[in-house]
Amino acid sequence: MKFYNLKGGIFLILMMLSFSFVNAQAIRGFGNVTGYSVSSDFKKGVIVNLGGGAEFEFHPIFKPEIAISYSLMGIKDQKQYDFDTNTTEINTGSAYGLNFSLGPKICFWCREDDEDELSCIYYITPKVNMSRIIATGNYAFIDHNNASNNFYESRKIADWQHSFGLSVGMEIPVSETNSIAISIDISNINFGKTLNRLPYNNVDYTTVGVGAGLTYYFGIRKGNK
């Protein structure tokens, strides 16, 4: 993705932030951790995203969110050993992603039968993602009989990509402005698009799909009653 697309994305986020701070009835910050299940080609079966952002309430059922998250992942070593020629091939790699997301949080709420206080909120948040995926790969060919044949290569690849996601969750108030939310998250950020370009890589890494998240919201600017 070219640099002007990055500048355009950042400009859009800054414009949205400026508009939201001025016009939002209430503003809350949040911290989030989400785990996405991935294939066995990664060192761990779950990629963990750590992130944070802001929620801007324009209406009790309409609360756009802007967020940034970071994910770090390792790739399993791919080792090949040929007993006939006494050579070894080793592929190693790692990657991380920085993701910016923007989406309208649409809320549906329920109330206690015998109380007027809000007990919980259900919500759905479609998201537009702009992700920076950076991968580093290393390849080594080792000839145990002739060191002059040894070969090493390292490559770093970075991609920008756009994608769409979705969160569906339940938010439980813990105070007037603070709350905890649990969610199911769907992402189609394709790490394989970058990882498959590492040197001598022959693994078809899949797109990250479904995960589960935990979010804590805290008040920044309180709305008027």
Side-chain angles (χ1 to χ4, degrees):
M1 190 67 64
K2 295 185 180 296
F3 181 65
Y4 62 80
N5 285 334
L6 169 60
K7 291 174 64 177
I10 293 176
F11 178 75
L12 175 63
I13 291 172
L14 291 176
M15 286 292 293
M16 183 65 182
L17 279 171
S18 300
F19 175 80
S20 299
F21 270 111
V22 172
N23 294 279
Q25 297 177 12
I27 302 174
R28 295 193 301 173
F30 62 84
N32 171 267
V33 57
T34 305
Y36 292 97
S37 177
V38 293
S39 71
S40 59
D41 297 319
F42 293 91
K43 286 184 177 180
K44 296 181 179 180
V46 175
I47 290 178
V48 177
N49 276 8
L50 298 175
E55 172 202 84
F56 305 93
E57 180 179 330
F58 293 97
H59 188 275
I61 65 172
F62 182 67
K63 305 175 182 180
E65 291 186 347
I66 295 176
I68 181 173
S69 62
Y70 174 84
S71 61
L72 177 66
M73 67 213 78
I75 304 170
K76 281 188 176 180
D77 296 351
Q78 304 170 49
K79 297 183 179 181
Q80 302 175 12
Y81 188 81
D82 189 332
F83 290 93
D84 295 330
T85 60
N86 200 27
T87 60
T88 303
E89 290 181 292
I90 303 175
N91 267 326
T92 61
S94 62
Y96 65 89
L98 190 64
N99 182 60
F100 301 90
S101 66
L102 171 65
K105 181 179 179 182
I106 302 170
C107 302
F108 312 89
W109 62 87
C110 65
R111 295 181 180 274
E112 299 280 359
D113 292 336
D114 56 349
E115 296 181 10
D116 193 38
E117 293 297 325
L118 192 65
S119 59
C120 62
I121 298 172
Y122 298 94
Y123 65 87
I124 181 170
T125 309
K127 301 176 182 179
V128 177
N129 302 310
M130 184 175 66
S131 306
R132 180 68 166 173
I133 311 299
I134 299 177
T136 302
N138 301 283
Y139 172 80
F141 175 86
I142 302 172
D143 188 335
H144 298 282
N145 295 322
N146 187 351
S148 64
N149 292 330
N150 292 353
F151 174 74
Y152 302 92
E153 182 178 350
S154 179
R155 185 181 301 173
K156 186 175 183 179
I157 299 172
D159 286 320
W160 279 100
Q161 60 174 283
H162 297 155
S163 61
F164 297 93
L166 182 71
S167 292
V168 180
M170 179 178 68
E171 184 179 325
I172 305 169
V174 296
S175 70
E176 187 177 359
T177 58
N178 297 6
S179 63
I180 296 174
I182 54 176
S183 63
I184 300 297
D185 297 88
I186 301 173
S187 171
N188 65 344
I189 299 174
N190 188 358
F191 289 106
K193 181 179 178 181
T194 304
L195 298 178
N196 292 340
R197 294 166 52 201
L198 293 176
Y200 303 92
N201 183 65
N202 57 4
V203 176
D204 185 15
Y205 294 96
T206 58
T207 298
V208 176
V210 179
L214 182 67
T215 304
Y216 182 78
Y217 291 92
F218 53 91
I220 295 178
R221 190 176 80 191
K222 187 177 177 181
N224 297 323
K225 295 283 186 182

